[in-house]
Amino acid sequence: GPTIGSVALEEATYLSACFQSRKIQLEFKNSTEAQYTSYTYGDSSCSGTATDTTSLCMNTITVSSTAVTKPTYVGGTTGDNVTGYNAVAEWKNGADTSYLQFGADNASVFWFNQASTEAERDSNSVWIFKFTKQ
């Protein structure tokens, strides 16, 4: 997976915790490519079977040297600050660029934000998705 500061994410599958009826899975193929799968559920706790699944290939994930520090946000509660980095990724299907943020303390858990514009990404005031290596 990509290197976030001093942490190299592994070529492995990571799954996010539930946030607003959604989970995301990222399976890193190498340092710049990942299979991205979004699961939407019928309830806010992501229980049962996903009602909608979307899978896309992300390529050319590029992590910048721009550091961002913001609090985590889990279950409606703001937590400790985590420092991460801005990133961009292209979609293999020719769709738009995705504007990302990764924050990693170790290779097993990382934080992730995603937006369709740079301004939207930069306006995210908290870390939303917490990923854990599967």
Side-chain angles (χ1 to χ4, degrees):
T3 298
I4 313 302
S6 61
V7 177
L9 298 178
E10 297 175 21
E11 287 181 26
T13 300
Y14 293 82
L15 184 66
S16 79
C18 181
F19 181 78
Q20 292 185 345
S21 306
R22 194 164 159 230
K23 286 184 182 179
I24 299 170
Q25 180 178 290
L26 284 171
E27 182 185 349
F28 293 111
K29 307 292 189 188
N30 52 48
S31 63
T32 62
E33 292 190 324
Q35 183 72 28
Y36 171 102
T37 307
S38 172
Y39 301 97
T40 306
Y41 294 82
D43 65 2
S44 59
S45 62
C46 299
S47 61
T49 306
T51 55
D52 184 55
T53 303
T54 304
S55 192
L56 294 165
C57 282
M58 251 185 190
N59 61 2
T60 56
I61 299 169
T62 306
V63 179
S64 80
S65 58
T66 305
V68 287
T69 301
K70 57 183 73 176
T72 60
Y73 187 78
V74 178
T77 304
T78 304
D80 295 337
N81 278 354
V82 170
T83 297
Y85 294 88
N86 287 338
V88 293
E90 305 295 328
W91 298 104
K92 241 180 192 160
N93 65 355
D96 298 335
T97 299
S98 201
Y99 295 88
L100 314 173
Q101 289 173 327
F102 289 97
D105 289 328
N106 57 61
S108 298
V109 177
F110 68 88
W111 293 89
F112 178 79
N113 286 333
Q114 172 191 355
S116 53
T117 67
E118 209 167 346
E120 183 188 344
R121 174 190 67 190
D122 295 346
S123 73
N124 282 333
S125 59
V126 293
W127 292 104
I128 295 173
F129 286 103
K130 181 181 184 178
F131 279 76
T132 306
K133 187 178 147 194
Q134 299 302 289

